[in-house]
Amino acid sequence: MCSWYLAYSARGVWLGESSSVKCVLFAIRGTRLTKGTTIPGLSRALGTLALSPDNVMNETGHPQAWIERSDASIVPLQSSCSLGRAANNQIVLRDEKVSRNHAVIHRQDDNEYWLVDLGSSNGTYLNGRRVAQPMQLTAGASIQIGSHLMRFCLAGAEPSPAGEIAEHTVMDIRSSICWLLLADIEGSSTRDQTVPPEQLSITTGRWFSNCKQLIESNGGTLNKYLGDGFLAYWPGGEADSAPLLQALQELKQLQLANEPPFRLVLHLGLVCLGGAPSLGEESLSGAEVNFVFRMEKLAASLRQRCMVSSAGAARLRDQLAVEPLGKHSLPSFNGQFEFWSF
């Protein structure tokens, strides 16, 4: 037998189960429940979410970030939140002008949220402008998809009491050998000027969507959007390289379509992982992460569409056809390094 209680806040009603609060539903402000009241299809009607509070609340018990809908209901954001017409989206938008899988809000780094259109036909609008590539959200930003208008909200930093030291959660930072894959759209500034904005939005959005799907289906993690590219990673160490190789093969097939043209660089190195594991997000840091970003700049200058570091080539040489590109220096790194095309 469930025992339910209501907790009211400035932004709506929190409906919890007993004192353990196993789930939270966000309902429209002003909803009143009495003993025996039933609300069939509440979550479907309001497009609300049932989530673990540990995944959406900060240490003060409030959501770290949320979407406020035009009906005053709110949806707390996890590491990734999908929006679209299909019922399996976290935010379901019932509108014929909305694609089944329309857009996604992706959490990365410490507290960044990025809006990504997934190649929808009618577009996603951020503060009145159509999204052509992943855009970072700021507090109060308006998002419009079809007839649905939403607002992105971000909890502000709370000052520590005078004379006291604030208690912070100690982050679980660990080191691990990882494959780092950086993809970047070639000539993005030129394309912005030559391709019609609507076509640019659709092509770029579909590219991000396709890349994300094939990376995750092959055991990788798309860690960070970079405006006109992304950073993904796979476990290195003793892990089987077959999923990575399959992903590279599929990405190279995607390159042949040239919609849009993009570049790939691959590196194997020791990175630090950690950040906010309770939200499903891993932050990557360390010299090897900086190294792969420098590699991408070098690949652009060498006009190489697929380039791998010496460490990566040594691991995959028996499984991946590579050609030497000679030794090159990288800014902020001492010495010269061998690179290979694949």
Side-chain angles (χ1 to χ4, degrees):
M1 189 74 176
C2 284
S3 175
W4 295 89
Y5 72 94
L6 288 175
Y8 291 84
S9 74
R11 294 190 175 276
V13 182
W14 295 15
L15 181 61
E17 181 184 350
S18 74
S19 60
S20 61
V21 193
K22 292 181 180 177
C23 64
V24 177
L25 293 176
F26 289 80
I28 290 178
R29 176 169 47 243
T31 299
R32 183 178 181 182
L33 302 181
T34 58
K35 185 177 181 179
T37 299
T38 60
I39 309 179
L42 174 66
S43 62
R44 291 195 302 275
L46 303 182
T48 55
L49 290 172
L51 300 170
S52 163
D54 291 337
N55 286 341
V56 297
M57 306 297 175
N58 59 21
E59 293 178 353
T60 66
H62 300 292
Q64 293 185 350
W66 62 94
I67 292 294
E68 186 175 281
R69 304 183 66 170
S70 57
D71 61 6
S73 64
I74 66 173
V75 180
L77 294 176
Q78 301 184 81
S79 57
S80 184
C81 178
S82 60
L83 304 91
R85 196 176 74 249
N88 61 346
N89 287 287
Q90 281 100 338
I91 299 181
V92 178
L93 304 173
R94 304 190 183 284
D95 186 336
E96 292 182 353
K97 294 182 179 180
V98 176
S99 298
R100 290 180 58 79
N101 299 294
H102 196 105
V104 66
I105 296 173
H106 177 78
R107 184 186 189 275
Q108 63 189 42
D109 291 336
D110 184 30
N111 211 22
E112 289 184 6
Y113 293 83
W114 288 66
L115 177 64
V116 185
D117 182 87
L118 299 178
S120 64
S121 299
N122 294 309
T124 301
Y125 291 82
L126 176 62
N127 296 326
R129 300 185 64 178
R130 185 164 180 162
V131 173
Q133 60 189 37
M135 300 292 292
Q136 186 175 351
L137 294 170
T138 56
S142 67
I143 301 169
Q144 183 164 5
I145 297 177
S147 61
H148 296 267
L149 185 62
M150 297 158 278
R151 187 162 67 99
F152 172 74
C153 302
L154 188 64
E158 298 184 5
S160 303
E164 296 184 14
I165 299 176
E167 293 184 3
H168 297 282
T169 301
V170 177
M171 294 300 181
D172 177 22
I173 305 296
R174 62 193 186 281
S175 298
S176 180
I177 299 290
C178 289
W179 288 104
L180 301 174
L181 179 72
L182 184 63
D184 188 61
I185 294 176
E186 297 178 303
S188 56
S189 58
T190 303
R191 291 178 68 250
D192 291 347
Q193 299 172 4
T194 58
V195 180
E198 288 190 6
Q199 183 59 39
L200 182 67
S201 299
I202 293 172
T203 301
T204 305
R206 286 178 180 168
W207 177 74
F208 276 110
S209 179
N210 290 336
C211 290
K212 183 176 188 294
Q213 182 177 355
L214 73 86
I215 286 169
E216 293 178 349
S217 66
N218 286 295
T221 300
L222 201 157
N223 178 259
K224 183 180 295 187
Y225 289 104
L226 305 168
D228 53 0
F230 61 82
L231 175 66
Y233 72 96
W234 281 259
E238 301 302 321
D240 183 11
S241 300
L244 170 67
L245 289 166
Q246 181 62 33
L248 292 177
Q249 181 179 338
E250 293 179 22
L251 284 166
K252 292 193 73 172
Q253 287 295 318
L254 205 58
Q255 274 186 328
L256 296 178
N258 223 38
E259 292 184 356
F262 65 97
R263 184 167 39 252
L264 295 169
V265 295
L266 180 67
H267 179 49
L268 178 68
L270 183 67
V271 301
C272 295
L273 299 95
S278 65
L279 289 165
E281 171 66 19
E282 292 276 23
S283 295
L284 303 181
S285 60
E288 305 298 340
V289 177
N290 296 333
F291 189 89
V292 79
F293 278 91
R294 298 287 191 266
M295 274 183 65
E296 192 279 324
K297 299 298 183 186
L298 175 64
S301 68
L302 297 176
R303 299 184 180 274
Q304 292 295 321
R305 303 195 74 187
C306 296
M307 191 171 83
V308 60
S309 66
S310 181
R315 175 71 70 88
L316 298 177
R317 192 167 295 166
D318 294 335
Q319 302 165 284
L320 185 69
V322 297
E323 295 291 337
L325 294 173
K327 291 185 176 182
H328 301 271
S329 59
L330 296 177
S332 303
F333 289 87
N334 295 325
Q336 291 198 320
F337 305 89
E338 284 189 297
F339 296 98
W340 308 74
S341 65
F342 65 92

